[in-house]
Amino acid sequence: MLPAPGVVRDLFGDRTAVIEQYAEILAGRGIEWGLLGPREADRIWDRHILNSAALASLVSENATVVDVGSGAGLPGIPLAIARPDLRVTCIEPLLRRANFLELAIEELDLSDRVTVVRDRAEDHRSSYDVVTSRALAPLDKLVRWSWPLVTAGGAVLAIKGASAGEEVIRHERSLTRQKLMAEVLSVRASPDAEPATVVRIRRR
Ligand SMILES: C[S@@+](CC[C@H](N)C(=O)[O-])C[C@H]1O[C@@H](n2cnc3c(N)ncnc32)[C@H](O)[C@@H]1O
């Protein structure tokens, strides 16, 4: 379903044509290459783009961002288009997905500030202000992969499903032992958009 034109313009401003082009890439090559299921074509905007762009309000200005397990670029690419001040690195270990990302970033003319690294998060050796992910892994594994990539004072922002709160409770003691705290946030890309559930992890 297409969002109201005002919603897209409010979020993406003069990059509206760029996010529309990305939506077309997802609905076309994204499905052809098997990165998204065939039934996703009608859900590209609400389930994928607006859900990803919900993170925009949680990232500080000029932050460096790494999107772990980026797949087709979610949430990294919509976030980068919504926020032209950010530098975004998309980490993706699978060749076909990394190739998809390279091609999309080139076509969207984002190569000056969005890059792809074909790697597993646990083998990557840089650090960033914000580590994003969506549908990456259970919380304990997600923290093991993501936290080593966070700079001092930074945060992990993980888009999760409805059971995020239960997961946080289940792993509370382990997080506390690591001197971490997790909050479950419900954020919307725009007032009419479906809320995204985000687990934000920071140093205690
Ligand atoms: C369920 S998909 C989610 C993709 C995308 N984030 C989305 O929301 O559509 C999980 C992604 O994590 C990637 N992945 C799996 N293990 C990983 C690891 N150790 N480090 C980084 N990414 C990994 C997979 O290749 C896959 O693209």
Side-chain angles (χ1 to χ4, degrees):
M1 205 174 66
L2 276 175
V7 169
V8 177
R9 186 149 280 285
D10 282 354
L11 264 171
F12 296 99
D14 61 1
R15 282 93 51 210
T16 293
V18 182
I19 196 71
E20 285 173 349
Q21 189 184 349
Y22 178 58
E24 282 171 25
I25 292 173
L26 286 179
R29 198 186 306 135
I31 292 176
E32 278 160 33
W33 288 24
L35 276 71
L36 296 180
R39 284 200 298 250
E40 298 307 300
D42 290 341
R43 307 168 177 165
I44 296 290
W45 281 97
D46 52 354
R47 185 187 268 205
H48 299 290
I49 292 179
L50 297 183
N51 180 261
S52 296
L55 292 185
S57 62
L58 299 175
V59 179
S60 57
E61 215 180 337
N62 297 321
T64 55
V65 177
V66 65
D67 186 33
V68 174
S70 199
L74 300 161
I77 291 182
L79 179 60
I81 297 172
R83 291 283 307 275
D85 56 306
L86 305 178
R87 301 190 75 79
V88 177
T89 302
C90 298
I91 296 189
E92 175 52 54
L94 295 185
L95 178 63
R96 186 166 28 168
R97 292 171 186 226
N99 285 344
F100 176 95
L101 286 166
E102 296 273 10
L103 200 56
I105 288 163
E106 196 185 310
E107 287 171 1
L108 298 170
D109 203 13
L110 295 172
S111 311
D112 56 334
R113 59 188 185 85
V114 183
T115 49
V116 181
V117 175
R118 186 173 167 225
D119 208 351
R120 300 187 312 164
E122 57 273 41
D123 298 331
H124 189 62
R125 292 287 171 266
S126 293
S127 49
Y128 304 83
D129 301 317
V130 177
V131 179
T132 62
S133 63
R134 190 181 81 149
L136 177 64
L139 195 63
D140 50 347
K141 194 185 268 187
L142 185 150
V143 171
R144 220 166 38 243
W145 289 351
S146 305
W147 190 254
L149 304 179
V150 177
T151 50
V156 168
L157 297 175
I159 303 179
K160 283 271 185 187
S163 59
E166 287 163 31
E167 260 199 284
V168 166
I169 291 168
R170 201 166 343 118
H171 297 290
E172 189 92 64
R173 279 171 61 188
S174 153
L175 290 165
T176 306
R177 262 200 314 274
Q178 298 173 71
K179 298 192 169 52
L180 301 178
M181 65 174 184
E183 308 155 85
V184 179
L185 311 171
S186 181
V187 281
R188 294 172 198 267
S190 77
D192 295 331
E194 284 294 307
T197 305
V198 179
V199 177
R200 177 165 64 187
I201 299 167
R202 292 185 286 189
R203 177 67 67 204
R204 267 181 190 275

